[in-house]
């Protein structure tokens, strides 16, 4: 069965606006990244929102959790800003019990050419195929259970 | 315990010689790739050889298998050219029984800026941490048991 | 005689801070860019400041003009943010009469991997070797006299 | 009046074939490179051939010279492999007297992400707009008259 990928934005998908010099969101780069990785796992991609996770509201998290619940797939990857990834994982964990859900993200935008996103995406798609139901955070090559991880914002690692 | 990474060359590590216009090997890019991926898993990297897997001899494969056997680590990733990755996996599988060994590679050199290597490396490091002892081929986001995979050379996929 | 390159910052040299998600300045990438371009023209690089040209004060422009005047070299390239490049060119033109001075910049930071900076740098170094004394703005493959150019901010071109 | 660009192949336009591991030619990347450089000079691009300059015959050089002669434009840039760029320049110089013709190339393919091609293209388009009729070789930020240049193949520079 296919893996569902829910896109929510985050550094993963940020782009540089050359007229204003600011970062912004347009479309997700997930299909391009999967193609670059020559990924042959069947996946279905749905963009739920395109936002910075610092601006994510409780209502946004509820939308994500509800979509995880409604999805037919038993294995789900969520791309998400790293700043509040753990908060969203906690909300999902309270709502969804019977699925393997992996949240992942990036420290550098994919479009800036030196992203950790491709590495994390490879990890997340591997872990999500193997682990038992639960909610996991996949960063830095590691897989954490949602209630056993925190972000060290000064170092930028989990 | 750390994961051992054995480097054997392959497309992963090919570079472009601007004087001759040919591809060649110099040093491995594994440390740079792990750093780019912000990998925080403890790894130890050893370069066993730097060759194209089409030129790999039975003696070379024996060297790889012997190093897998002697390694203290129980989990090993091997970077390898894709053309004879499965042959090497078979040789290792006959020799090493109590370790989880993941062979991975790339279709495009890392130095050419659009490599699937970073994605595969993320996958391989995830799978190797999770799976039971055995010899696996990790490509295209998938994990195959060594005796249940073949390369489709026309399509360039496993 | 060598060409003098004065670095003042601008989009050219912006980098992405992965901890804060903001753009910032560190060191100039000019030496790396010249090396990438296999540039064999003798150049001497001096960093005068590392700022966004929107924050450039009249005092900053005076510093740039004074350095152009004091430089022993007769041919000078200045890397500069595009937003106020023309204002700085006007200040220099009033002060320096006997040198060929070329201001250039970029719409996309060099570190983001898809910069127009390398192209503009190639143009600027060519024009500055050929033209008579005067102050020029080099962007989009074109060379404009300082008093005959304006930036179309909506389109991002000169 | 527009600048004519004649594409003949060379390292500029080489790509990596991931199935065979060899370098090959497909389409030219000139339009993409000009777009990346935000080039606003009117140009017209014609692909005359897509070959390695080591395999270029006298007949091929005659084709290039004839096209330079027939072109309506007075200013022409030719992208060319670096190995026999000077030989081709000599053939053109004997045939075409009233045009400014700039040959340029690259040491690293554009698709490999670290090409000197973008820098050289910026230089060539600048020099070709400024110089008097004649045949020039533009490499490493420099402009050489065709009969006053040689390639140092060991160092890879002109």
């Amino acid at each position: 069965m296919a893996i569902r990928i829910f896109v929510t934005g985050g550094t993963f998908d940020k782009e540089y606006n050359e007229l204003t010099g600011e970062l912004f969101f347009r479309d997700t780069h997930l299909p391009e990244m999967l193609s670059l990785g020559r990924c042959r796992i069947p996946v279905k991609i749905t963009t739920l929102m395109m936002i910075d996770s610092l601006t994510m509201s409780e209502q946004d998290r509820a939308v994500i959790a509800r979509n995880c619940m409604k999805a037919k797939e038993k294995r789900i990857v969520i791309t998400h800003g790293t700043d509040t990834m753990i908060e969203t994982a906690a909300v999902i964990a309270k709502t969804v019990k019977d699925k393997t859900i992996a949240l992942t993200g990036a420290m550098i935008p994919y479009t800036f050419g030196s992203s950790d996103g491709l590495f994390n995406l490879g990890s997340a798609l591997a872990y999500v195929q193997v682990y038992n139901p639960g909610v996991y955070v996949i960063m830095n090559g590691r897989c954490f259970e949602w209630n056993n991880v925190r972000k060290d914002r000064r170092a930028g690692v989990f």
Side-chain angles (χ1 to χ4, degrees), chain A residues 82-98:
Chain A
T82 59
D83 283 316
T84 68
M85 189 181 275
I86 298 168
E87 286 86 326
T88 302
V91 171
I92 300 171
K94 277 178 206 140
T95 322
V96 192
K97 301 293 182 188
D98 58 340

Side-chain angles (χ1 to χ4, degrees), chain A residues 1 3-4 8 14 16 18-19 32 37-39 41-42 45 55 58 60 66 75 78 87 91 100 113 128 130 135 146:
Chain A
M1 191 185 231
I3 294 170
R4 173 66 57 173
T8 73
K14 276 189 184 161
Y16 183 75
E18 69 183 63
L19 300 185
E32 190 183 336
R38 274 84 179 146
C39 183
I41 310 165
I45 302 174
T55 70
E58 283 312 300
D60 292 327
R66 196 161 54 240
R75 299 179 186 280
I78 301 172
E87 286 86 326
V91 171
T100 304
V128 85
V130 175
V135 180
W146 70 271

Side-chain angles (χ1 to χ4, degrees), chain A residues 70-134:
Chain A
K70 286 194 320 188
K72 284 185 188 139
E73 295 79 11
K74 289 291 179 195
R75 299 179 186 280
I76 299 171
V77 168
I78 301 172
T79 66
H80 196 288
T82 59
D83 283 316
T84 68
M85 189 181 275
I86 298 168
E87 286 86 326
T88 302
V91 171
I92 300 171
K94 277 178 206 140
T95 322
V96 192
K97 301 293 182 188
D98 58 340
K99 292 177 178 169
T100 304
I101 297 173
L103 291 93
T104 194
M107 296 305 290
I108 302 259
Y110 170 69
T111 50
F112 293 4
S114 63
S115 174
D116 49 333
L118 204 59
F119 180 81
N120 288 337
L121 189 60
S123 298
L125 285 168
Y127 282 120
V128 85
Q129 289 179 75
V130 175
Y131 271 119
N132 289 331

Side-chain angles (χ1 to χ4, degrees), chain A residues 115-157:
Chain A
S115 174
D116 49 333
L118 204 59
F119 180 81
N120 288 337
L121 189 60
S123 298
L125 285 168
Y127 282 120
V128 85
Q129 289 179 75
V130 175
Y131 271 119
N132 289 331
V135 180
Y136 305 91
V137 167
I138 319 287
M139 288 294 291
N140 310 125
R142 286 172 164 169
C143 182
F144 303 95
E145 290 181 77
W146 70 271
N147 53 3
N148 192 24
V149 57
R150 61 180 195 81
K151 184 177 178 187
D152 177 347
R153 288 202 189 170
R154 266 204 352 206
V157 296

Side-chain angles (χ1 to χ4, degrees), chain A residues 32-40 118:
Chain A
E32 190 183 336
M33 293 173 75
L34 292 169
S35 159
L36 190 64
R38 274 84 179 146
C39 183
R40 303 259 298 166
L118 204 59

